């Protein structure tokens, strides 16, 4: 064990204890931590910076496909949840209920107690179909008012008993698109369009290869006609549902009363969709790319793509080294990667060089550049690429480096994607036989039930309840 | 009255009924509307688009001054609110209280009722000093851990009985900065720095002239040592508090336990600040710039800066006109205003030209361009600038127009700012005499108590309770 501690920055390793490794990567990178509120996390600046970049890239795609952002209330009247029968089953069970609107000093020792009881309790949104549907019913009168193409970036809450940072927390951040259409075909097209937006986004921005598919009836969003999903294989060979797009048919239109007059002046119910991704994506990034030294960030969502580390042993070297670093930073900051200036920082914190280097490794910074007096004398800097492991170094002149950066970042994205794709493809098996199937999904090592066999490609028919019962 | 209705797009006018005019401007522009949840509004795409631009411009300034974004839980344990005595007084009174975490079908007719009572009630954050302070106490051990410079974009909730769209709603969106410092001087500097960020932002982005100043002890943020504010004069000559920056001294550090060892290894409490602006700014934009025809948007926060309206009387003209418009759109979209492509759209909706024009006026779109076959024949387009009133038109060639656009937008910002500044300055009176003061603040017309006298410049000493008692 002591040996291992010396050679990996994260303890335990993936192989030793995958779930615990996951928590330790988050902690070592300073991405998130638990809060005094049960099941709610604090997202630290490094984790939130990743979320901001996810928002930026995805928001552009959502807008480019014709959607606008809006904002709907956090609280939903209890009676709204009761309107759609399946929806109640799915979401009413574990949610945060607001019952009072005031606190009064009426408790023992003058402690505050809830007062001002509400006539109707309010629920913190677990998802917003019902309240948004209520508004759409007011907005839609005629076929001319359709389609409505709206997205919301918001926090939502589902009371979770067993939580895991980013993957399953009581409060989480997400976007939820909600659209209403005049025809079934148009709503189905929208559902598939957004699924494709998610696929392209996951692969081109997060470097996560995904498989698109349809969920079984039992795994559907409560109230949906079809639920489609992008699924990625994590390093424990399990699937992570990374985004969903739901065709809701007329279910929510009926329960919310979204009706319109068509061109023949007939009253019809609208066809609706909803689709979302959440901060869970950050969990997916970690479990796809991180290694036993910590996080590895695909460059497009790295808050800092390049960090320059000045090495100064003596006080008198300081000004010279910093001036050199500042020139380099400026040149890099003027260089474009994917049409935007490269995000570059000088890490001047008063921390030992070795420790600083390991901190940056654990944070998953794509490129680190060390600049010390000896290198400067040779007009060279030391480049380290996170995904190549901590021993790989390359020396090159600042000019060469700056020229090379965009292609280095492009290449890194490609390598990360292909590495994940290869891992996934190696762990997909085609299975047609029942006993083989059972054997495949039986844990090999009962002490490590978290290490999973992989994906099975099977002649599975969605909606065939016999198959589904067997799968259970 | 009928005459007036014909000549202004908004009824009533500012002069007839200022508060009602305000609501009607919002409605006519499609910015927000009330929701089925008491006191909570729905922010429509046009209003939310303005908020997104506010976020973008302000977020850049917050980051440029060294802050990072993070995210803290929506819910705050009740006991946290009790920690800071004054804070309780200010915020515990009217807030949303979560008491249960489940719904069960245990009511009459199987209706859902709250179940799973929480041991300790949770409050939806009215502001986050207490929960963020709790985390900072864990993060800060040594002077090396300071300063902490963090901002959060979030929704907050204060149960309001009398609400007004954007200005006072139960739920609203805001940013809240929370910083912790090793010295008093540094925390005071931070407080004043962010006040200046708000001033510069209000003036250069929102075109709202503001006066910076200090709040009286009675108007301070509950728990603050000093509260500073930017205040703007609305068109009813009343002040709108548009942003606040609080120096919290060591009050919250004491109640949350944010302690550190200084360079001499002495244990000290940190000095903290907090500062915020909210969706209320959108109310300030309306009340500063809008007129009796509706909203007027300063160009930097207009979701659409230029809208092209194709005029097509006959079907056979359609393709030609649209092709001309598309060329123009493309040329404008490649033109930079403030280093960013001009936000230009073609309004192809199937709405009569006159009605469409009035809709765009009421939305406050800075520049409208009409393109019809007759103009095209002369290679000219018709330009209308929102702030000049609906009768002013100018004909110019597409080439001229595109070249002129950046300066037109720059000029429009300037004119809007100066118009508001002139109005404000004309309504500030210097008053040193007590009876004059009383007369000034007595409503002239008891039927229109909303129309106010303006600002009074008086020898008022903050903290002098005699003066304060008189002012009340």
């Amino acid at each position: 064990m002591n040996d291992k501690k010396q050679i990996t920055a994260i303890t335990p390793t993936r192989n030793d204890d995958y779930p615990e490794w996951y928590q330790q990567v988050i902690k070592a990178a300073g991405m998130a931590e638990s809060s005094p509120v049960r099941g709610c996390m604090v997202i630290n600046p490094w984790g939130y910076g990743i979320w901001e970049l996810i928002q930026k890239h995805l928001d552009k795609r959502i807008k480019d496909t014709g959607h606008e952002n809006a904002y709907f209330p956090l609280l939903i009247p209890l009676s709204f949840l009761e309107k759609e029968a399946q929806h109640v089953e799915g979401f009413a069970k574990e949610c945060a209920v607001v019952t009072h609107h005031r606190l009064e000093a009426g408790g023992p020792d003058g402690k505050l107690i809830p007062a001002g009881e509400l006539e109707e309790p309010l629920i913190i949104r677990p998802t917003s179909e019902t309240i948004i549907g209520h508004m759409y019913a007011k907005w839609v009168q005629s076929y001319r008012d359709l389609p409505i193409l709206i997205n919301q970036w918001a926090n939502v809450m589902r009371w979770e008993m067993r939580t895991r940072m980013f993957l399953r927390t009581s409060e989480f951040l997400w976007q939820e698109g909600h659209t209403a259409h005049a025809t079934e075909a148009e709503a189905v097209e929208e559902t598939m369009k957004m699924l494709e937006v998610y696929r392209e986004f996951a692969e081109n921005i997060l470097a996560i290869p995904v498989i698109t598919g349809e969920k079984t009836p039992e795994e559907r969003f409560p109230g949906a006609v079809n639920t489609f999903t992008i699924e990625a294989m994590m390093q424990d060979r399990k699937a992570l549902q990374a985004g969903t797009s739901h065709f809701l048919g007329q279910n929510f239109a009926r329960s919310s009363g979204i009706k319109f007059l068509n061109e023949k002046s007939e009253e019809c119910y609208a066809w609706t969709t909803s689709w979302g991704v959440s901060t869970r994506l950050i969990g997916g990034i970690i479990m796809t790319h991180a290694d036993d030294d910590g996080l590895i960030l695909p460059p497009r969502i790295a808050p800092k793509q390049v960090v320059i580390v000045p090495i100064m042993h003596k006080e008198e070297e300081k000004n010279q080294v910093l001036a050199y670093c500042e020139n380099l930073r400026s040149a890099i900051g003027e260089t474009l990667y994917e049409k935007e200036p490269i995000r570059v920082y000088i890490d001047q914190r008063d921390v030992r060089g070795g420790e600083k280097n390991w901190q940056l490794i654990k944070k998953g910074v794509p490129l680190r550049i060390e600049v010390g007096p000896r290198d400067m004398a040779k007009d060279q800097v030391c480049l380290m690429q996170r995904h190549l492991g901590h021993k790989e170094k390359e020396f090159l002149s600042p000019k060469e480096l700056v020229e090379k950066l965009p292609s280095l970042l492009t290449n890194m994205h490609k390598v990360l994607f292909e590495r994940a794709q290869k891992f996934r493809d190696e762990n997909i098996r085609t299975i047609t036989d029942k006993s083989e199937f059972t054997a495949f999904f039986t844990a090999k090592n009962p002490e490590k039930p978290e290490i999973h066999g992989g994906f099975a490609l099977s002649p599975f028919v969605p909606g065939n309840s016999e198959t589904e019962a067997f799968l259970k």
Side-chain angles (χ1 to χ4, degrees), chain A:
Chain A
M1 276 303 274
N2 274 331
D3 280 350
K4 277 191 184 169
K5 271 184 193 163
Q6 281 164 24
I7 56 165
T8 69
I10 303 297
T11 310
T13 62
R14 285 165 287 184
N15 209 32
D16 283 345
D17 183 344
Y18 191 83
E20 181 58 22
W21 162 83
Y22 174 78
Q23 300 290 351
Q24 291 304 322
V25 169
I26 291 171
K27 190 176 172 185
M31 300 172 84
E33 59 194 275
S34 56
S35 82
V37 185
R38 206 177 178 296
C40 296
M41 63 179 165
V42 170
I43 307 180
N44 298 321
W46 190 248
Y48 198 79
I50 297 168
W51 180 241
E52 287 181 297
L53 288 162
I54 288 175
Q55 287 190 296
K56 181 180 147 178
H57 288 289
L58 186 56
D59 193 66
K60 183 180 183 319
R61 287 161 169 78
I62 289 172
K63 286 177 176 154
D64 284 350
T65 45
H67 306 86
E68 294 181 300
N69 289 333
Y71 189 77
F72 297 86
L74 170 71
L75 299 178
I76 297 179
L78 189 153
S79 58
F80 278 41
L81 281 190
E82 291 178 316
K83 286 184 186 172
E84 216 292 329
Q86 288 181 295
H87 200 64
V88 178
E89 282 300 306
F91 287 108
K93 283 173 185 160
E94 295 297 334
C95 54
V97 190
V98 176
T99 55
H100 295 74
H101 68 81
R102 193 186 307 138
L103 291 173
E104 279 176 7
D109 304 327
K111 289 279 179 196
L112 294 174
I113 52 167
E117 191 169 353
L118 298 172
E119 275 182 38
E120 180 181 10
L122 299 166
I123 312 306
I124 297 183
R125 61 183 161 217
T127 180
S128 302
E129 276 75 8
T130 58
I131 188 129
I132 293 181
H134 175 91
M135 299 309 297
Y136 285 6
K138 294 171 70 177
W139 298 348
V140 175
Q141 315 293 333
S142 141
Y143 68 94
R144 287 192 198 84
D145 301 323
L146 294 169
I148 300 183
L149 305 171
I150 283 183
N151 176 62
Q152 164 170 277
W153 290 95
N155 52 345
V156 286
M157 195 146 214
R158 300 169 187 182
W159 207 266
E160 297 283 354
M161 286 307 163
R162 290 173 50 217
T163 59
R164 284 185 76 191
M165 221 79 86
F166 292 117
L167 298 175
R168 200 190 310 110
T169 50
S170 291
E171 185 188 11
F172 57 93
L173 305 181
W174 79 346
Q175 59 68 217
E176 46 180 327
H178 295 271
T179 70
H181 307 263
T183 67
E184 179 175 15
E186 215 186 273
V188 168
E189 190 192 334
E190 167 79 11
T191 309
M192 301 319 287
K193 183 196 284 177
M194 297 320 291
L195 186 69
E196 169 58 17
V197 164
Y198 289 156
R199 186 204 61 76
E200 185 275 333
F201 167 76
E203 302 202 341
N204 288 335
I205 301 300
L206 312 180
I208 299 179
V210 293
I211 293 173
T212 58
E214 186 177 349
K215 285 282 185 188
T216 67
E218 304 203 349
E219 289 182 307
R220 258 179 218 148
F221 176 79
V225 173
N226 307 101
T227 286
F228 299 91
T229 172
I230 53 168
E231 305 267 343
M233 186 187 284
M234 302 295 101
Q235 292 182 68
D236 58 357
R237 304 193 187 92
K238 283 188 183 160
L240 183 82
Q241 176 180 303
T244 48
S245 186
H246 314 294
F247 170 61
L248 303 175
Q250 294 178 308
N251 294 347
F252 283 89
R254 276 179 212 281
S255 61
S256 301
I258 312 175
K259 287 183 283 194
F260 67 98
L261 292 181
N262 68 13
E263 300 190 26
K264 298 175 200 155
S265 287
E266 297 159 341
E267 192 174 78
C268 313
Y269 283 107
W271 301 82
T272 68
T273 83
S274 67
W275 28 273
V277 302
S278 72
T279 33
R280 158 178 274 210
L281 285 177
I282 299 176
I285 294 164
I286 298 167
M287 293 203 295
T288 301
H289 301 300
D291 65 14
D292 295 335
D293 285 336
L295 188 60
I296 298 181
L297 280 176
R300 283 157 208 173
I301 44 137
K304 301 177 186 182
Q305 294 166 322
V306 179
V307 172
I308 301 171
V309 179
I311 310 285
M312 301 165 293
H313 299 293
K314 302 170 196 160
E315 188 58 31
E316 61 268 31
E317 295 165 349
K318 199 175 165 183
N319 287 345
Q320 233 186 323
V321 174
L322 286 180
Y324 192 93
C325 289
E326 180 48 37
N327 280 342
L328 185 59
R329 191 202 62 74
S330 162
I332 295 174
E334 284 163 16
T335 305
L336 299 185
Y337 167 61
E338 305 264 307
K339 295 182 190 164
E340 294 200 27
I342 290 177
R343 295 184 286 273
V344 55
Y345 294 80
I346 302 176
D347 187 348
Q348 293 196 43
R349 289 174 307 141
D350 184 18
V351 174
R352 271 194 318 111
E355 192 182 331
K356 194 184 280 187
N357 192 34
W358 277 109
Q359 287 177 359
L360 297 172
I361 288 173
K362 289 185 281 188
K363 280 190 174 295
V365 171
L367 301 174
R368 311 189 301 285
I369 299 168
E370 278 184 5
V371 176
R374 264 179 303 178
D375 297 328
M376 277 166 59
K378 299 182 205 166
D379 195 35
Q380 70 177 23
V381 298
C382 175
L383 167 72
M384 290 162 287
Q385 304 192 49
R386 175 62 183 89
H387 72 296
L388 298 181
H390 66 272
K391 285 173 185 164
E392 292 272 341
K393 294 182 177 198
E394 186 182 350
F395 292 88
L396 63 184
S397 78
K399 187 165 175 294
E400 254 181 299
L401 173 74
V402 171
E403 282 169 12
K404 216 176 157 180
L405 277 180
S407 62
L408 279 174
L409 293 169
T410 299
N411 182 60
M412 183 179 297
H413 176 93
K414 189 163 170 279
V415 169
L416 289 178
F417 179 80
E418 287 172 354
R419 186 149 95 181
Q421 196 174 34
K422 183 162 176 279
F423 177 82
R424 182 191 68 186
D425 293 347
E426 284 171 357
N427 288 289
I428 295 183
R429 282 217 1 232
T430 302
I431 298 177
T432 50
D433 175 70
K434 211 162 169 175
S435 60
E436 200 186 344
F437 192 91
T438 310
F440 184 70
F441 280 108
T442 302
K444 272 89 204 156
N445 182 347
E447 281 174 22
K448 291 178 189 172
E450 293 289 332
I451 302 297
H452 193 275
F455 287 5
L457 261 185
S458 288
F460 171 67
V461 185
N464 177 331
S465 54
E466 198 184 320
T467 323
E468 266 188 58
F470 165 68
L471 285 179
K472 282 206 155 182

